[in-house]
Amino acid sequence: MLFLLATAAIAGESQFHNGGFESGLSGWRLWSRTPGALTSALENKNVHSGQTALLLEHPAEQDWSLEPSIRLEVQPGDLVELNCWVKVTGGGTATLCASTWDAEGKVVAWSAGEQTVSEGADWQHLQTRVVASGNVRQMQPRLIGHGPATVWVDDYAVVQRGNVHALRSREIPATLILSNAMLDVRFNTSDAACVVRDRRTSRAWTQKALANDCIVKSASTDIAGRLRCDLFHAGLGLELQAVLHLGADRPELVVELSARGPLPASLGFPHPFQGEPGDYLVIPMNEGIAYPVDDAAIPPIHLIAYGGHGICMAFYGVTDGERGQMSIIETPDDASIRVERVDGRLLVVPEWDAQRGEFGYVRRLRHVFFDRGGHVAMAKRYRAYAQQIGLFKTLAEKRKLNPDVDRLIGAVNVWCWERNAVSLAEELQAAGIERILWSHKQSPDTIRALNALGVLTSRYDIYQDVMAPTNFARLQWIHADWTTNAWPNDILRDRRGNWVKGWAVEAKDGGMIPCGVICDRQALSYARDRISADLATHPYRCRFIDTTTAAPWHECYHPNHPMTRTESRRWKMELLRYVCDENRLVTGCETGHDAAVPFVHYFEGMLSLGPYRVPDAGRRMSEIWTEVPAAVAKFQLGHDYRLPLWELVYHDCVVAQWYWGDYNNKLPALWDKRDLFNVLYGTPPMFMFNRRLWEENRARFVQSYTNTCPHVRQVGYQEMTDHRFLTPDRSVQQTVFANGVLITVNFGSADHRLPDGRVVPARGFLTQGE
């Protein structure tokens, strides 16, 4: 039957007969959310095939749609394939999809089977397959878009491919069971979803099948207690095999997926576990965040596992504060997660991305179930996993190789562009700010003088952005640290051979000109040349490498240096290893990712949740904000959302800091609260100032340092062993460290009395055991 479906995919005829616009706009309808913003014209020069294509112009910021006037009658399991060719210019996107409708004419999904493309020089093929779920009776093919764009459309085709339920074996059982001393797993062959009952708590953790396009063709258990099944993912046209097995003495369920051939879009499988009202998601977005599953304020979000602007550790979970379920992504190099709202509750969908267009290697996910401990237990389970796979190296171990590491512990990170750094550093130390990481580059004599003061001297460096030299005359400024010689032979190329666009730079005419991105496979040689020459004359003790762990692991299609994301990660780590080990430099990197833990000492940006920084934080670093954006107050500094997940796993391995566009004095109204988070997490502050700001706020800078850094010095080498919410509103929190230090912080507006009678002042803290 699968062969018949595949044959139909070749031989089927489109249900719509003006997909090439040879009959003009007959049978098509257009819509835009901004009235009158979408215009159309027939095009006979820029076509994909035939004589005509459709040209759409949409200058507005909102969404638009193009639909053929055909609505298909379907039954559950019916498979509809959509194809079209598009070319996109501008900042917007184009998405091929279908809206689905139930028997009463109510919409089920507005954009099922989304396949999206953005700007590209050539025609791009969009294809999607949509399977009708149990309540769907009609399907409307669509092409939708968002944002300003010019879009050419041609060869739109709609083909019905039969019903996927015909693929199921008639002898397949309805359910299969796996069990051990702690868990009972029921696998439903109707939708490939599991229900896992934890015998210790009797809680059942239920997976939610979000679509009806993953068909179980056959399934069985073997003598070794493994559940094996053959699946067909109709939406992707992909045959895959799944193996599920339980640990003999652990509450853990491992899922392994394998397939051959192309992976045309991300695969969302296995299905996500759904929480109950009152539960919260546990997401290691930078330092960490908790999303209540029934919080309507949280929009959907997609987070990659292969870069700092995603999840910085390869796990996620859901808990009621004690009982919980977490998933460890054991193959994260081509993986991501998607937080979605289903039936009014948030859940996390794991997704597998292609490896250079193919499914590639076996993908593995480990589900872990907890009877107690909540997010702390999850972090500790991941800590053990990190130790097992070699990601773990403590600061104490790193200090043995480089004694200058000790200068980092309890030091404030100072970003200051004043020329007379020595006199300013002397003023800071005289005022009581004794331990300093000075991050801006200096002359050799200034570095020596700062070294003599005990300052940890550092400088900025970068091995990512490469600007075409032909653009230099158009720019407002030229970055001294661009690896210009990498253009054009050593930059990333995408699968169409186009150079990959990176950071955009301001032009003299007010526009923005994008840099290229150096291929990670090529970057190390440029670092070797620059750093060795620099250190020959400049006796730095530290170096900050921008973007390496913030930017995603890249694929490269350049014929001279092709690269998978796995290879990208390895080359990025080789760059950091060179800086850290070969040059014996205290090493920092941007935002952070735990792949780099063995090779770095601090991350700038780990404390700052990426989506919730002030707008344009990476460009307007030195601008002080007197008004607090709502998202910054609610999430970035929201004590009821933040979790110290990074500290619970890696506090004794890497120092976490704020981002250089999100430092302690960035928003004066939140300065006190940032200091409290630094105290609670045992992490140092960051200051950015010029002489005027320093002189105007000297006492406040000293207060920030004295409130935080002495405590950070006490716990800087210690594991964070526990984190507790002491009040239902989470306004009073407590952390515990391996040396017995206990820190209690009160974010609330009223004093809080502890069981021993001690009082934690409003917006204050208490320490014990120092």
Side-chain angles (χ1 to χ4, degrees):
M1 182 61 68
L2 180 58
F3 174 76
L4 293 177
L5 284 174
T7 302
I10 298 172
E13 294 184 0
S14 176
Q15 304 297 303
F16 184 67
H17 299 294
N18 188 29
F21 304 97
E22 304 301 324
S23 299
L25 281 173
S26 174
W28 290 94
R29 54 179 176 261
L30 290 80
W31 169 89
S32 60
R33 190 168 301 277
T34 302
L38 183 65
T39 60
S40 65
L42 298 176
E43 169 75 64
N44 57 20
K45 293 182 179 179
N46 197 350
V47 301
H48 178 257
S49 70
Q51 302 298 314
T52 309
L54 181 65
L55 173 63
L56 300 174
E57 297 276 3
H58 184 259
E61 294 292 336
Q62 293 183 297
D63 54 327
W64 55 267
S65 72
L66 170 71
E67 294 182 350
S69 56
I70 175 175
R71 182 167 291 192
L72 303 174
E73 301 293 331
V74 295
Q75 295 297 316
D78 281 358
L79 173 63
V80 176
E81 180 180 287
L82 309 178
N83 285 270
C84 76
W85 287 84
V86 298
K87 187 162 75 169
V88 181
T89 63
T93 60
T95 299
L96 185 64
C97 61
S99 59
T100 55
W101 305 76
D102 65 15
E104 297 178 356
K106 296 179 180 179
V107 69
V108 177
W110 282 110
S111 54
E114 290 186 7
Q115 293 298 315
T116 301
V117 294
S118 55
E119 185 172 20
D122 301 322
W123 285 92
Q124 301 180 67
H125 182 215
L126 280 172
Q127 181 184 70
T128 188
R129 300 176 181 89
V130 183
V131 177
S133 58
N135 60 337
V136 170
R137 293 298 179 270
Q138 291 184 324
M139 199 176 295
Q140 172 63 60
R142 311 181 75 197
L143 182 71
I144 63 177
H146 192 276
T150 300
V151 182
W152 290 262
V153 186
D154 206 354
D155 297 333
Y156 195 107
V158 181
V159 182
Q160 292 181 284
R161 299 299 192 195
N163 194 289
V164 296
H165 294 317
L167 296 173
R168 282 176 56 85
S169 168
R170 295 180 180 179
E171 299 177 357
I172 190 171
T175 59
L176 290 167
I177 304 296
L178 294 176
S179 295
N180 66 11
M182 299 180 183
L183 301 177
D184 293 321
V185 180
R186 185 174 75 247
F187 178 80
N188 298 310
T189 62
S190 61
D191 57 6
C194 290
V195 177
V196 181
R197 188 178 72 87
D198 191 327
R199 293 186 173 192
R200 299 164 298 176
T201 64
S202 296
R203 175 157 178 175
W205 298 91
T206 302
Q207 288 183 333
K208 177 73 173 180
L210 302 185
N212 197 33
D213 53 1
C214 199
I215 309 303
V216 181
K217 296 167 54 183
S218 63
S220 63
T221 55
D222 62 22
I223 194 170
R226 294 174 178 261
L227 190 158
R228 301 178 181 272
C229 59
D230 293 324
L231 306 168
F232 177 66
H233 194 288
L236 299 174
L238 181 71
E239 288 189 87
L240 63 155
Q241 294 75 47
V243 178
L244 290 72
H245 61 92
L246 290 169
D249 57 353
R250 287 184 173 184
E252 300 185 2
L253 173 66
V254 177
V255 181
E256 296 178 342
L257 300 175
S258 57
R260 294 182 178 179
L263 184 60
S266 298
L267 169 65
F269 189 83
H271 300 304
F273 285 97
Q274 192 167 40
E276 299 294 335
D279 290 352
Y280 59 91
L281 302 183
V282 177
I283 308 293
M285 172 202 292
N286 307 117
E287 179 67 51
I289 195 164
Y291 287 142
V293 299
D294 42 10
D295 188 338
I298 310 298
I301 187 170
H302 176 250
L303 299 166
I304 60 173
Y306 45 87
H309 289 297
I311 53 174
C312 298
M313 298 177 285
F315 76 92
Y316 57 91
V318 59
T319 179
D320 60 9
E322 287 293 337
R323 302 173 300 174
Q325 181 276 323
M326 77 178 291
S327 299
I328 299 175
I329 307 171
E330 296 192 358
T331 50
D333 286 347
D334 299 283
S336 59
I337 64 171
R338 191 176 298 277
V339 177
E340 294 187 4
R341 179 172 285 101
V342 177
D343 298 334
R345 282 175 277 170
L346 296 174
L347 45 70
V348 182
V349 183
E351 292 190 337
W352 307 107
D353 299 334
Q355 184 188 52
R356 284 176 56 90
E358 300 288 313
F359 186 91
Y361 52 92
V362 174
R363 313 301 180 99
R364 188 181 301 109
L365 197 65
R366 180 180 297 270
H367 300 306
V368 186
F369 301 86
F370 299 91
D371 59 343
R372 62 184 181 276
H375 66 271
V376 175
M378 294 180 191
K380 294 308 175 184
R381 176 63 185 92
Y382 188 77
R383 178 179 168 97
Y385 173 74
Q387 292 170 325
Q388 174 189 340
I389 65 173
L391 290 181
F392 207 82
K393 190 174 184 179
T394 66
L395 288 162
E397 293 175 288
K398 296 171 185 176
R399 181 182 56 187
K400 293 177 182 178
L401 298 174
N402 182 357
D404 284 332
V405 170
D406 194 58
R407 300 180 187 276
L408 176 69
I409 307 304
V412 58
N413 189 345
V414 173
W415 280 99
C416 177
W417 282 264
E418 293 287 336
R419 291 184 177 181
N420 195 352
V422 176
S423 66
L424 198 50
E426 289 174 336
E427 287 185 38
L428 266 66
Q429 291 183 329
I433 301 175
E434 298 175 351
R435 305 182 67 84
I436 301 169
L437 164 60
W438 196 274
S439 288
H440 184 51
K441 66 169 64 175
Q442 301 294 328
S443 68
D445 288 342
T446 300
I447 296 169
R448 293 186 187 96
L450 290 172
N451 286 344
L453 294 173
V455 171
L456 180 57
T457 48
S458 185
R459 61 155 290 181
Y460 173 98
D461 204 354
I462 185 171
Y463 298 94
Q464 171 155 306
D465 298 326
V466 185
M467 177 60 73
T470 53
N471 289 327
F472 282 5
R474 301 171 54 199
L475 301 176
Q476 292 187 17
W477 54 272
I478 298 172
H479 201 306
D481 295 314
W482 283 335
T483 50
T484 302
N485 289 341
W487 186 280
N489 294 328
D490 289 334
I491 62 174
L492 290 173
R493 299 281 176 171
D494 64 21
R495 66 178 59 205
R496 295 187 296 273
N498 301 317
W499 61 272
V500 175
K501 295 180 180 179
W503 186 256
V505 180
E506 296 87 348
K508 293 176 181 177
D509 63 3
M512 304 294 287
I513 302 175
C515 290
V517 178
I518 191 171
C519 179
D520 297 309
R521 188 171 170 177
Q522 307 300 95
L524 180 57
S525 63
Y526 292 95
R528 288 186 182 276
D529 291 343
R530 175 185 293 169
I531 294 175
S532 61
D534 190 30
L535 293 179
T537 54
H538 294 67
Y540 290 109
R541 291 168 167 165
C542 178
R543 205 171 191 93
F544 172 70
I545 309 298
D546 198 13
T547 75
T548 296
T549 52
W553 319 156
H554 292 291
E555 292 185 336
C556 184
Y557 291 81
H558 194 294
N560 293 338
H561 41 84
M563 187 174 64
T564 64
R565 291 192 187 97
T566 297
E567 292 167 332
S568 171
R569 170 179 55 80
R570 290 171 182 165
W571 283 111
K572 284 173 180 277
M573 298 310 109
E574 275 299 299
L575 170 62
L576 296 174
R577 187 197 61 78
Y578 167 71
V579 178
C580 175
D581 293 348
E582 292 191 30
N583 289 285
R584 292 292 191 269
L585 291 171
V586 176
T587 304
C589 206
E590 184 193 354
T591 300
H593 190 284
D594 73 343
V597 166
F599 313 109
V600 301
H601 304 95
Y602 68 98
F603 283 129
E604 282 195 16
M606 182 58 74
L607 287 179
S608 299
L609 310 180
Y612 307 120
R613 301 170 184 173
V614 298
D616 222 6
R619 297 183 188 277
R620 299 157 59 188
M621 296 94 67
S622 59
E623 180 179 343
I624 302 300
W625 284 61
T626 56
E627 295 186 7
V628 179
V632 176
K634 183 178 180 68
F635 297 110
Q636 186 70 270
L637 276 297
H639 56 264
D640 46 347
Y641 285 97
R642 290 187 66 108
L643 294 176
L645 299 178
W646 181 265
E647 310 312 321
L648 287 163
V649 179
Y650 289 121
H651 183 270
D652 52 342
C653 294
V654 179
V655 176
Q657 300 178 353
W658 301 103
Y659 179 60
W660 74 341
D662 186 52
Y663 40 89
N664 288 63
N665 58 300
K666 178 74 174 181
L667 297 102
L670 297 178
W671 195 340
D672 288 343
K673 194 167 188 180
R674 267 191 213 276
D675 288 354
L676 289 178
F677 275 114
N678 282 126
V679 174
L680 182 67
Y681 292 177
T683 58
M686 176 187 287
F687 302 155
M688 184 176 289
F689 54 67
N690 54 26
R691 177 164 288 279
R692 179 186 60 80
L693 273 178
W694 159 249
E695 292 176 349
E696 290 176 355
N697 299 275
R698 181 190 305 254
R700 185 62 189 85
F701 283 116
V702 173
Q703 174 191 332
S704 186
Y705 177 89
T706 56
N707 277 350
T708 58
C709 288
H711 307 294
V712 176
R713 183 70 182 164
Q714 290 292 317
V715 301
Y717 291 105
Q718 303 299 314
E719 175 188 355
M720 181 188 283
T721 58
D722 200 5
H723 169 252
R724 306 161 183 162
F725 298 118
L726 301 188
T727 56
D729 65 357
R730 302 186 177 183
S731 63
V732 183
Q733 300 184 25
Q734 194 173 78
T735 52
V736 183
F737 294 87
N739 60 351
V741 172
L742 185 149
I743 299 172
T744 308
V745 165
N746 182 0
F747 295 105
S749 57
D751 293 350
H752 177 81
R753 185 175 299 277
L754 296 173
D756 63 4
R758 295 195 307 161
V759 173
V760 189
R763 301 184 181 92
F765 65 93
L766 285 178
T767 64
Q768 180 179 337
E770 291 184 333

